[in-house]
Structures are given as C-alpha cells and as structure tokens.
Amino acid sequence: MDSPPCHARSRETTKLRALWGHIATSTVLLCAQVSWAQAAMPAAEPSGPSPSPLSSQVEKVIINKVIIDTDIGDDVDDAFALALAVKSPELQILGITTAFGDTETRAKIVDRFLGEVGQPEIPVLAGKPTVAKSPLTQRRYAERGHFAKASHGDAADFLLEQIRRYPGEITLIAIGPLMNVGAAIDKDAATFRQLKRVILMGGCIQRGYGDLGYTAPVGAMAEWNILNDVPSAQKLFGAGVPVFVMPLDSTQLKMDEVKRAFLFSQGTPVTDALTLLYHEWGQETPTLFDPMTIAYLLKPELCPVKPMRIRVDEKGFTRVEAGAANAQVCLDSNSEDFFRFYLKRVGAQ
C-alpha cells in the first residue's frame, strides 16, 4: 500500500489530536464521578483477614515431609513410585531407605536415579542386608551409574533421627518388605510412634494377585511385602501409628502399551530413567502397585479408605477382625483416574 500525501496526513493528525483531547476530558470527568461516588458510600465492614496479593491466583502448596522405604531393583513399580515422588512439589523427600536382600545395590540404584533426575542431594540409606532368592533385575543400572556413593548409613537409625527432628510431621511411605520398620520399632518404639502416619503398599483383604475386578475372582492370599517379614508387619500394625493400607485389592494397576508409549516418549530425565529401568526389568506390562501410596498422599480420592482392624497372621495373611480399627484400608480404586493423574504428573515437562 502507498503512503498518503503530506496534506492528508496533516488533516488526519489534527482530527486525531482533537479526538484524543475529547477522550482525555471525558476520562477525567468519569474518574471524578467515580471518586465522588466511592467517597459518598459508607465503608464496608471487613468480613475476614485480607487475602494475600496472590491468594486468588496461586493455590498454596501444602508440603508433606516423607521418607520412602523401598526394595527397588526387583519389580519395576518402585521406580515408578520414586518418579511420582520426585515430580511432586508437595513432597519434601527427607530420605530414601532400601530394604530386603542386597540393600547396598538397591541404594546405588536410587543414587543413580536421583542423580539422573537432578536431585542427588536427597539422602539414601541402606537397611541391613538379608537373604533374597529373587535376582535384582535392575542391577546393571546401579553398576553403570556415575552417582553411586561409596557407602550408605543405616536406614533404621536415619528414620528414627528424622522422627526426633520432626516429631508428628513425617509420613513414612513403605513400599517394600518391612525390615527397616521392624528394626526401628525394636530400637525405639516410642520415637517410631511419633510418625505422622505410615502409608503402606502391602496386604490383601479380598482380591489376590491376578484379580483385576473384571477377571475370574481370586481370593485373599499372602502379599509379597508382608510375607517377606511377617514379624515386622505384625509390629507395625501394633505400633500405635496411623497406618493407611494400599493392598492388592486396589493396586493392581496395569500400565498398558499406549500409556507406556506416551510416558517413555516424553524425553525428560525422569521418563528417560524410567525407560532404562523398564527395559532392564525385561518384562512387558508393569503393574504399578507401589505408586498408589504416593498418589494417595497427593490425591486421597484416588483410593478411598475405610477403617478396619487388621491382624497379620503367621502365614502373612492380613485378616480383618472385629474391634477398634488400627488401619485405614483402600479396597478399590479407579485405574483410569489413577493413570490420568499419574501420566499427567510424571510426563510433564
């Protein structure tokens, strides 16, 4: 488009100046009228404390202090649980402890995972080693890492130290056999009782392994984490600490190919670490038992609980008995709701 001639631009400029002068005058009058009206109105009584400047725009994040006790390295769901934890700003991870079998190698898996995702400052502690017949499927991940520490402190001692430092504030997330829990109770039961709560992946109330709700029913059975240290499980349910149980009934969450393809294609440090650990695990469809503990803490409606009295028998069964409740138990969950939350959170850039 060609530019207009000079005399035309001059006339247009004069008109614009006149128009802006009219607008400015009108604005001054309008502001004066508004100020007068406000001055004439009676002052409103305050109805409560004044909101902070950003209160209407930013929802306050409630920080939960947590310690995660894990047997990472066998099944891969522990890694998926850690992924959700490190991607959640609501959590202050005080430390991660390892339990069952070769606890030092498990700790080195955690060392590398935390290093790869940019959180190497989180303390990693190892429980006492025990005999375990199952191989560590993700051992190579630990051996090839560049973040492994030479040694790790004692898990039970660390747990008790943190409870003394933050009495009534710590949530213990227990997603492995309960050796470290039993050791801490044996050392100082009174301090252990000062936990805020324990959220446990463990037990089986009505639906055993393979009962997905739409398959043939499978009755109650002994679940892995309870079965591998029955005495420690019995101590936990008798410890006087609030216990929230995510049993097999609500945690058999199958991560299908579509969901895996989405997550593994995100290309973040967290999803890349999960991709490596998944392939070292060497099976096809993971069941995300353990992540439900973290999900429950972040969004309790994903796994509604009900009060129950639980007794762990000598065979590792979690029996429901009459009497005062000693646990809050989630018997059912919605898989699609869980994965919608999980994938959005862990897959986020």
Side-chain angles (χ1 to χ4, degrees):
M1 177 183 289
D2 293 334
S3 299
C6 290
H7 61 277
R9 289 201 301 271
S10 178
R11 287 196 300 272
E12 291 299 322
T13 300
T14 301
K15 290 179 182 179
L16 286 172
R17 286 174 177 168
L19 177 59
W20 279 113
H22 175 71
I23 292 173
T25 301
S26 300
T27 301
V28 170
L29 290 173
L30 179 59
C31 289
Q33 290 171 348
V34 171
S35 298
W36 176 85
Q38 290 174 335
M41 292 175 64
E45 292 294 328
S47 59
S50 300
S52 63
L54 298 178
S55 63
S56 60
Q57 302 176 32
V58 180
E59 185 178 350
K60 184 179 179 181
V61 175
I62 298 175
I63 303 299
N64 294 277
K65 293 181 174 65
V66 301
I67 294 173
I68 302 172
D69 189 51
T70 174
D71 63 338
I72 191 170
D74 296 320
D75 204 347
V76 76
D77 57 325
D78 295 74
F80 282 86
L82 294 191
L84 179 57
V86 299
K87 291 288 285 187
S88 296
E90 305 95 325
L91 304 185
Q92 179 185 353
I93 305 174
L94 300 178
I96 299 173
T97 58
T98 60
F100 188 58
D102 187 351
T103 53
E104 274 294 330
T105 296
R106 295 187 196 279
K108 290 176 181 178
I109 294 174
V110 179
D111 287 340
R112 180 178 175 185
F113 179 86
L114 293 175
E116 297 283 4
V117 305
Q119 298 192 36
E121 72 283 356
I122 295 175
V124 180
L125 297 303
K128 296 291 189 294
T130 64
V131 176
K133 296 179 181 179
S134 55
L136 285 180
T137 61
Q138 296 135 70
R139 180 182 295 275
R140 286 186 300 171
Y141 186 84
E143 293 171 347
R144 297 178 181 179
H146 303 292
F147 299 96
K149 299 177 178 66
S151 62
H152 300 84
D154 182 77
D157 287 343
F158 173 81
L159 174 59
L160 293 170
E161 288 166 5
Q162 294 302 305
I163 297 170
R164 294 184 191 108
R165 185 176 181 185
Y166 302 109
E169 296 184 47
I170 297 175
T171 296
L172 174 62
I173 306 289
I175 56 176
L178 297 167
M179 288 80 177
N180 294 330
V181 169
I185 294 172
D186 287 343
K187 287 185 176 186
D188 192 342
T191 294
F192 187 86
R193 272 195 297 275
Q194 294 183 66
L195 280 169
K196 182 177 182 179
R197 62 194 156 196
V198 176
I199 304 179
L200 166 70
M201 190 283 120
C204 171
I205 308 302
Q206 298 169 345
R207 294 163 46 192
Y209 288 107
D211 187 340
L212 306 179
Y214 54 83
T215 56
V218 178
M221 59 179 62
E223 179 274 332
W224 175 264
N225 289 339
I226 303 296
L227 181 62
N228 276 285
D229 194 343
V230 170
S232 290
Q234 293 170 334
K235 292 170 188 174
L236 173 61
F237 282 98
V241 174
V243 179
F244 294 78
V245 183
M246 311 290 118
L248 294 180
D249 308 67
S250 56
T251 59
Q252 298 188 63
L253 304 159
K254 299 291 184 180
M255 190 176 194
D256 62 33
E257 183 179 3
V258 174
K259 296 178 178 67
R260 296 196 304 273
F262 165 78
L263 192 65
F264 297 161
S265 66
Q266 296 310 299
T268 71
V270 171
T271 60
D272 285 350
L274 284 179
T275 304
L276 279 175
L277 287 163
Y278 166 78
H279 286 292
E280 289 198 4
W281 175 60
Q283 300 180 47
E284 184 177 2
T285 304
T287 305
L288 301 197
F289 303 99
D290 293 341
M292 182 56 88
T293 56
I294 308 291
Y296 174 79
L297 179 57
L298 298 169
K299 197 171 182 181
E301 61 267 30
L302 288 173
C303 210
V305 297
K306 56 170 41 176
M308 292 184 179
R309 182 167 187 81
I310 300 295
R311 177 179 65 88
V312 179
D313 71 15
E314 66 282 357
K315 295 181 180 179
F317 282 71
T318 42
R319 308 289 190 184
V320 179
E321 294 187 330
N326 62 353
Q328 300 287 327
V329 184
C330 176
L331 293 180
D332 198 15
S333 64
N334 184 295
S335 177
E336 286 307 308
D337 288 347
F338 166 80
F339 278 111
R340 190 175 295 113
F341 170 75
Y342 183 91
L343 294 172
K344 184 177 181 181
R345 176 66 65 94
V346 177
Q349 299 293 319

